[in-house]
């Protein structure tokens, strides 16, 4: 086991040396319907919701999750909230479909579509750019 | 002939794609239709791997379509049909990959009934979908491709759920019980038939042959008596770290020409798993032991655990381009690694398999993926005599390229 492990460690170090740094990104916030009594959730709860591990609000209603597929927003959400790359989260959602474990969240194209959906669905949650927040939806603070 | 088959496959793929937008059919979150198709090329030197691969083969594809219908927020029906071809096997016959009714009472408790994927290790449930994994071939020590037809899904059910532990993270669990239906036209079936006949031929030429044994059998069957197990994946409060343990036990009864000839029992098969992603680096490692007992014609032909482990590193150079390196090691018998004892001069002349794999993956967009990889192998364990009737070579290589589409 010794020689292969040494080689793997060497490759790991080489990869780390070549890792790119972080880049500028959009500031992302979570939004819910105004009828949702919650004002904030923990980062861990937010992660579990978007990974479809937590499917019900504390009051018992089913959570309707929507993923914002606008590239910059999506990438920032994956990196800042889920701590994943865009591809990792995409594959996570596809795994649910193709191995029979569930139906992944609905996907929408931009902030406007997300806000329209969340405004119309009492139990919905989505993510948008901070500057896109308007009166249609309510900010859900990550504590 | 081969080109004709490839043309048919390509036409089938494009026929599938033409009427569809480059996105899935999502009808109000209630009904979802998705699918995939992949076409690969497999080549090897030294030994035939999974097919007559020494000259290269395009007989390497998968096509699947799945439908999910959500009746209520808690109740779902889903199923996936697929066809595949690997060398002379599969032949693109359509079969049910998985099909189930899923009722989730709470986040921590749900039940799935039907044909359900077997959650062994980190990746067994997604073996049919090439685009979901970094490399074309999963590490063979744990995910033996020759057993893919048999260890993929079970008819029965599973209890599952996710339990939040607040500051300590959460864990996903699955408890399952069911039976495997063995296909009569699988690689596993045909290689088993060949192995039994080889033993019977050895009996005839032995100094004291057993007169009660037949000289040859024409067909064999294997019935699964039971299969049960558990899978636990713990996500601690460390970002992108997953730790898992899987356990499976099962028992089969073997028949030759409709007469019971033996049993195959997996006394305990466990796999420990680790997956960690740190920005553009992903590390996967698993260790497993399969303690099995096989009897044929009242003789115990094998009794004891194998040993399997691998480490795989994936580096995402960009969101679309990734490189993987894999070291994968398998021992047929954990407690007997002496080369001379296993050196029969014929099949499986080494009791180990040590595989260095190097792969590249490029995601053209959300729907298209192309991958390529090359493996350098020391050892012939897990190779089937069936594909290598003249014996195997200890040092050999194999490689593949594959294009996959999913919607």
């Amino acid at each position: 086991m010794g020689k292969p492990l040494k080689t793997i460690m060497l490759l790991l170090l080489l990869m780390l040396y070549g890792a790119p740094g972080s880049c500028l990104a959009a500031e992302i916030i979570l939004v819910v319907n105004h009828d949702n009594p919650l004002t904030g959730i923990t980062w861990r709860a937010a992660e579990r919701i978007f990974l479809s591990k937590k499917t019900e609000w504390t009051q018992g209603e089913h959570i309707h999750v929507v993923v914002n597929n606008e590239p910059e927003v999506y990438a920032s959400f994956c990196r800042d909230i889920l701590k994943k790359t865009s591809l990792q989260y995409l594959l996570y959602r596809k795994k649910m479909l193709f191995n029979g474990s569930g139906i992944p969240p609905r996907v929408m194209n931009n902030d406007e579509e997300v806000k329209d959906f969340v405004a119309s669905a009492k139990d919905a949650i989505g993510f948008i750019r901070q500057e896109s927040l308007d009166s249609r939806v309510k900010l859900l603070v990550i504590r | 002939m081969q080109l004709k088959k490839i043309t048919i496959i390509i036409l089938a793929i494009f026929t599938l794609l033409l009427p569809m937008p480059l996105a899935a059919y999502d009808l109000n979150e209630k009904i979802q239709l998705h699918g995939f198709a992949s076409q690969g090329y497999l080549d090897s030197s030294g030994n035939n791997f999974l097919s007559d691969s020494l000259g290269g083969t395009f007989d390497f594809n998968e096509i699947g379509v799945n439908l999910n219908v959500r009746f209520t927020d808690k109740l779902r029906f889903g199923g996936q049909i697929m066809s595949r071809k690997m060398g002379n096997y599969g032949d693109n016959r359509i079969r049910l990959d998985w099909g189930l009714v899923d009722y989730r009472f709470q986040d921590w408790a749900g039940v799935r009934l039907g044909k359900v994927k077997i959650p062994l290790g980190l990746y067994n449930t997604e073996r049919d979908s090439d685009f979901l994994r970094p490399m074309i071939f999963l590490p063979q020590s744990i995910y033996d491709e020759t057993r893919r037809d048999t260890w993929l899904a079970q008819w029965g059910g599973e209890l599952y759920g996710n339990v939040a532990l607040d500051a300590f993270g959460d864990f996903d669990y699955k408890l399952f019980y069911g039976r495997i239906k063995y296909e009569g036209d699988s690689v596993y079936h045909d290689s088993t038939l060949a192995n039994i006949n080889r033993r019977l031929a050895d009996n005839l030429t032995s100094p004291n042959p057993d007169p009660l044994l037949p000289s040859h059998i024409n067909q064999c069957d294997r019935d699964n008596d039971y299969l049960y197990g558990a899978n636990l994946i713990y996500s601690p409060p460390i970002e992108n770290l997953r730790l898992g343990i899987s356990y499976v036990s099962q028992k089969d009864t073997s028949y030759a020409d409709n007469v019971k000839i033996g049993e195959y029992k997996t006394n305990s098969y466990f796999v420990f798993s680790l997956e960690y992603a740190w920005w553009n680096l992903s590390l996967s490692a698993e260790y497993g032991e399969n303690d099995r007992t096989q009897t044929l014609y009242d003789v115990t032909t094998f009794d004891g655990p194998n040993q399997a482990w691998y480490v795989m590193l994936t580096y995402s150079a960009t969101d679309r381009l990734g490189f993987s390196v894999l070291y994968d090691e398998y021992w047929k018998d954990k407690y007997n690694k002496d080369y001379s004892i296993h050196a029969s001069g014929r099949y499986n002349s080494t009791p180990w398999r040590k595989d260095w794999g190097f792969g590249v993956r490029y995601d053209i967009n959300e729907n298209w993926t192309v991958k390529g990889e090359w493996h350098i192998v020391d050892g012939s364990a897990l190779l089937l005599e069936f594909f290598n009737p003249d014996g195997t070579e200890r040092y050999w290589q194999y490689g593949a390229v594959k294009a996959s589409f999913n919607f």
Side-chain angles (χ1 to χ4, degrees):
Chain A
M1 208 184 273
K3 193 176 176 184
L5 274 181
K6 281 179 188 169
T7 311
I8 288 166
M9 293 306 293
L10 182 63
L11 285 167
L12 178 62
L13 288 172
L14 286 171
M15 286 173 168
L16 285 172
Y17 184 75
S22 62
C23 56
L24 293 173
E27 198 73 29
I28 301 300
I29 57 169
L30 301 183
V31 290
V32 292
N33 187 283
H34 280 292
D35 289 340
N36 192 320
L38 288 178
T39 56
I41 56 172
T42 63
W43 167 79
R44 178 63 72 175
E47 181 192 40
R48 290 181 68 237
I49 287 172
F50 282 92
L51 295 181
S52 300
K53 293 180 175 181
K54 178 176 170 61
T55 63
E56 293 182 347
W57 295 111
T58 47
Q59 55 270 33
E61 285 87 0
H62 185 80
I63 304 173
H64 291 273
V65 180
V66 57
V67 170
N68 188 337
N69 214 28
E70 191 174 333
E72 187 188 357
V73 179
Y74 176 74
S76 295
F77 171 78
C78 292
R79 185 175 54 246
D80 299 341
I81 309 296
L82 299 182
K83 315 298 181 188
K84 294 181 184 296
T85 67
S86 301
L87 182 63
Q88 283 167 350
Y89 187 42
L90 175 68
L91 293 181
Y92 181 91
R93 289 182 283 131
K94 287 189 174 182
K95 280 176 188 174
M96 293 174 63
L97 270 174
F98 288 95
N99 69 13
S101 63
I103 300 178
R106 169 181 285 209
V107 176
M108 292 192 171
N109 293 319
N110 51 50
D111 288 355
E112 288 303 308
E113 287 187 12
V114 171
K115 285 185 287 185
D116 284 343
F117 177 76
V118 171
S120 65
K122 179 171 168 285
D123 303 311
I125 183 172
F127 57 89
I128 59 172
R129 285 187 188 84
Q130 188 172 33
E131 59 264 32
S132 295
L133 181 65
D134 61 29
S135 59
R136 280 177 285 176
V137 292
K138 186 173 86 173
L139 169 68
L140 187 67
V141 177
I142 298 177
R143 298 192 196 100
Chain B
M1 187 66 184
Q2 198 173 56
L3 276 175
K4 188 181 171 189
K5 289 177 184 171
I6 295 163
T7 307
I8 290 170
I9 291 162
I10 291 170
L11 282 174
I13 292 171
F14 280 96
T15 304
L16 189 71
L17 303 187
L18 277 175
M20 296 188 174
L22 287 180
Y25 280 155
D26 297 349
L27 304 176
N28 301 321
E29 271 190 318
K30 300 290 184 190
I31 302 175
Q32 292 207 15
L33 177 69
H34 297 262
F36 61 91
S38 66
Q39 174 63 54
Y41 174 77
L42 173 66
D43 204 347
S44 68
S45 66
N47 296 311
N48 277 316
F49 177 56
L50 302 174
S51 64
D52 295 328
S53 60
L54 279 169
T57 179
F58 281 101
D59 288 334
F60 184 20
N61 67 64
E62 291 133 340
I63 301 173
V65 176
N66 69 57
L67 177 71
N68 274 286
V69 182
R70 193 196 297 275
F71 293 106
T72 70
D73 288 337
K74 294 177 183 292
L75 180 63
R76 172 179 67 94
F77 165 82
Q80 178 163 287
I81 55 170
M82 73 165 293
S83 80
R84 63 186 286 257
K85 187 167 179 62
M86 181 74 257
N88 293 325
Y89 286 90
D91 205 25
N92 288 121
R93 279 184 299 278
I94 295 173
R95 62 176 174 82
L96 181 68
D97 189 28
W98 52 266
L100 51 85
V101 175
D102 180 350
Y103 190 82
R104 190 166 183 166
F105 302 93
Q106 299 280 335
D107 288 336
W108 58 270
V111 60
R112 296 184 182 116
L113 298 172
K115 189 175 186 184
V116 185
K117 288 288 184 82
I118 299 170
L120 178 67
L122 291 170
Y123 306 117
N124 198 52
T125 57
E126 58 225 37
R127 285 175 80 165
D128 284 330
S129 308
D130 175 78
F131 54 94
L132 293 178
R133 52 183 183 264
M135 297 179 76
I136 297 168
F137 289 106
L138 285 166
Q140 294 295 290
S141 64
I142 304 282
Y143 306 99
D144 179 4
E145 200 65 14
T146 64
R147 304 292 177 102
R148 171 167 150 170
D149 289 332
T150 59
W151 278 80
L152 206 59
Q154 49 95 3
W155 285 94
E158 70 178 13
L159 299 172
Y160 72 96
N162 175 267
V163 179
L165 303 171
D166 296 326
F168 297 101
D170 63 81
F171 67 85
D172 294 287
Y173 73 88
K174 290 175 181 170
L175 303 169
F176 56 93
Y177 184 90
R179 297 175 77 172
I180 303 168
K181 185 180 182 306
Y182 293 117
E183 303 292 341
D185 56 354
S186 66
V187 176
Y188 188 49
H189 171 272
D190 287 0
S191 64
T192 302
L193 180 63
N195 286 342
I196 293 171
N197 277 323
R198 181 169 58 80
R199 288 193 171 276
L200 295 174
D202 287 346
N203 176 60
L204 289 177
T205 56
S206 70
N208 299 303
D210 184 342
L212 297 177
L213 294 184
S215 60
H216 180 85
I217 62 168
N218 295 311
Q219 58 104 0
C220 68
D221 293 305
R222 176 173 283 198
D223 286 345
N224 179 236
D225 300 321
Y226 62 81
L227 174 137
Y228 64 86
N231 174 263
L232 185 72
I233 302 289
Y234 173 53
S235 302
I238 299 171
E239 292 159 9
N240 293 315
L241 174 63
R242 291 201 300 161
L243 303 168
I245 181 169
S246 308
Y247 173 84
V248 177
S249 180
Q250 53 93 229
K251 179 173 170 282
D252 300 335
T253 302
S254 303
Y255 300 89
D257 296 334
N258 299 317
V259 177
K260 181 182 173 182
I261 58 168
E263 291 180 350
Y264 181 92
K265 189 175 180 189
T266 300
N267 303 308
S268 70
Y269 185 7
F270 67 83
V271 177
F272 294 110
S273 310
L274 179 151
E275 186 182 68
Y276 182 59
W278 184 77
W279 293 120
N280 48 7
L281 272 177
S282 296
L283 169 73
S284 302
E286 296 193 286
Y287 176 90
E289 291 183 12
N290 183 354
D291 181 9
R292 69 278 196 221
T293 306
Q294 179 173 276
T295 56
L296 276 177
Y297 297 109
D298 296 325
V299 175
T300 300
T301 57
F302 201 91
D303 187 11
N306 66 15
Q307 187 178 45
W309 66 275
Y310 75 86
V311 178
M312 181 166 63
L313 272 173
T314 299
Y315 171 62
S316 301
T318 70
D319 260 355
R320 294 182 176 186
L321 179 65
F323 300 94
S324 296
V325 58
L326 162 77
Y327 180 74
D328 182 26
E329 189 168 308
Y330 173 86
W331 289 90
K332 186 180 178 184
D333 186 343
K334 178 187 176 186
Y335 297 115
N336 189 351
K337 298 181 177 179
D338 186 349
Y339 172 84
S340 60
I341 289 175
H342 297 267
S344 64
R346 327 178 30 170
Y347 168 60
N348 252 4
S349 58
T350 71
W352 69 81
R353 184 185 194 279
K354 301 172 184 177
D355 182 338
W356 275 103
F358 305 90
V360 58
R361 170 187 173 128
Y362 184 69
D363 289 88
I364 299 166
N365 53 41
E366 286 193 7
N367 305 99
W368 282 97
T369 303
V370 289
K371 293 191 281 188
E373 66 195 50
W374 194 255
H375 296 254
I376 301 162
V377 188
D378 168 9
S380 56
L382 296 176
L383 282 173
L384 296 178
E385 178 188 27
F386 188 67
F387 292 122
N388 299 281
D390 298 326
T392 53
E393 292 187 17
R394 173 176 167 178
Y395 298 102
W396 60 288
Q397 302 183 23
Y398 67 100
V401 290
K402 204 170 191 183
S404 302
F405 173 80
N406 73 88
F407 67 91

